[in-house]
Amino acid sequence: MATKKTSLRGLGAKFLDGAEPLIRALIYASGWSSIVFVAAIFFFIFREAWPILPRVNWGEFFFTNDWVPVPAEGNKASYGAMSMMYGTISVTIVSMVIAVPLGLGAAVYISEFATGKVKESFKVLIELLAAIPSIVWGFIGLVVLNPIIQDVFGVAVGVNLLNGSIVVAFMAVPMIVSISEDALRAVPDTYREAALALGASKWQIVYKVLFPAAKNGLLAACMLGVGRAVGETMAVLMATGNGMVIPENFANPAILLDKVRTLTATIVSELPDSVHGGDHYRMLFVIGIVLLVFSVVINVTSDIIVKGVKGDQKNA
Amino acid sequence: MSDTETDELSIRTRNLSLWYGNFQALYDVSVDIKPNIITSLIGPSGCGKTTLLRCFNRINERYGNVTTKGEVQILGENIYTEAVALAELRKSVGMVFQRPNPLPISIEKNILFGVRSHSRRSDLPASRREELIESALTEVSLWNELKDNLKRKATTLTLEQQQKLCIARLLPLKPDIILMDEPCSALDADGIERIEELISDLKDRYTIVIVTHNMAQARRASDECIYMYLGEIKEHAPTMELFMNPKNEQTAMYIEGRYG
Ligand SMILES: Nc1ncnc2c1ncn2[C@@H]1O[C@H](COP(=O)(O)OP(=O)(O)O)[C@@H](O)[C@H]1O
Ligand SMILES: [Mg+2]
């Protein structure tokens, strides 16, 4: 028995020896490929947008609200994208206001309070949620949330900012939960014991020990949630009402019941109808660039936040 | 034993048994631990020293599969009843762990962690907080070393400082009893010596129960000694008596085997 094992291990080692250059090459290739893909994405989006970049009226693009790519006879096309940026930003903010507390709460419950079967069932449920395709969430927005919002708020149309944000929140929650739960689980148990032995209650342990100790991971989870919200397309297209409006008064909560249209929704709904190589087509790629910039900014900020937090912890 | 004597005991257990799932780790432990002395708990690894110690602040229960039977009285009060407030119990029975486990926050926040959990913010004005921090650190002789670095993260201290801090953070809670589970096992010889000194300084004010696998330490540092074997208490006597003249055959074998 023992000799068998040794010889097997020997064989395995020999196999690995021979295959090592190959395996190394594969690992390198997969590492580099991600860089290549990102570069390719930038390249193709810029290539499509390039010819129009010198002619874009940036003031109009960022600060006006008239998106008329196909004007009536004799009129000039206009490309004011402010309402779409408002759409993307508002869906992101509202969905995170919903998803972050929900996701963190669920993660805390699963990692610190639930035990045994309950814990397992919750984890499975979260995984199931994560596996639901975007388009199905869109249907849920249309078919389930739409009438509920109509009833509750007494509005004629229930696809709006609120609906889209709820849908995106539900899509972001599983990711926030699973990353936050990992972060909480990584907190050494000795900290919990130390705090418990000092007479702290479970809640005190959560917010005075676990949150500070898991800060980095929790922040990362939330930032990934934000990324998800910015990039989400099909579901928001279906659930937000796809209307280009900018509210007059941002303090009025009724804006939750207005239609919005996000940057992503604009691209996906207009690209098929635009003339390949035409101005409209190229402007949609300019929107793509804006989205790319958004996501780079989010990633860099989250990096800075996470690093800043790390620095704090060293000095604190 | 008369009632007055019972009242004077710090810890008194009667027929205490404990199971982890189906595995019985303690068998009918009945022990009386006197106040303001150091009692050491010795015995081979796995005999239940840690388990017994963790019954005294009921921290064993955090593992879901623990069943406890019998009675544990702390300062005359049975702690295994529904009515016991665990936070209060843990305030009066502090614990020091085998690996120093300061929380990953600043030194001062570690010291205040306990009192902050037990009192409202308004009861702890800045002046009171400073007082608590200074007296706790002075009591473990860390004040001079650390007074200029109170905002430093506690996990960056040396292990010896960390363990002293773990003792210091119990003190603002004014505990009656301090439980220590092999508090020196992560330290070097110098660290061990200084922690032992500290422990013997503390015994006037606190009842101390210390688990140790180090015979020499039990002998040097404790007034009474309990020998455990396979979840049972085999012998409990004044330390010198237990080492010089063990009544139990197994005790004799253990202290000779380890020490001779
Ligand atoms: N959480 C636990 N779950 C199951 N068994 C445990 C647990 N903790 C300790 N035990 C078992 O209980 C017995 C006593 O352990 P412990 O009290 O840690 O001994 P000691 O501190 O004397 O080395 C050992 O056999 C150990 O394996
Ligand atoms: Mg132990």
Side-chain angles (χ1 to χ4, degrees), chain A residues 189 193 198 204 313 316, chain B residues 54 62 117-118 151-153:
Chain A
D189 205 38
E193 259 185 5
L198 285 164
Q204 285 169 330
Q313 284 177 344
Chain B
R54 289 165 66 95
R62 64 186 300 260
S117 307
H118 290 275
K151 299 239 183 309
R152 196 169 136 194
K153 202 176 172 190

Side-chain angles (χ1 to χ4, degrees), chain B residues 196-214:
Chain B
E196 277 179 17
E197 268 167 33
L198 169 60
I199 293 172
S200 77
D201 286 346
L202 292 173
K203 84 168 173 185
D204 301 339
R205 277 152 291 156
Y206 311 97
T207 302
I208 292 171
V209 186
I210 177 171
V211 171
T212 174
H213 59 248
N214 179 334

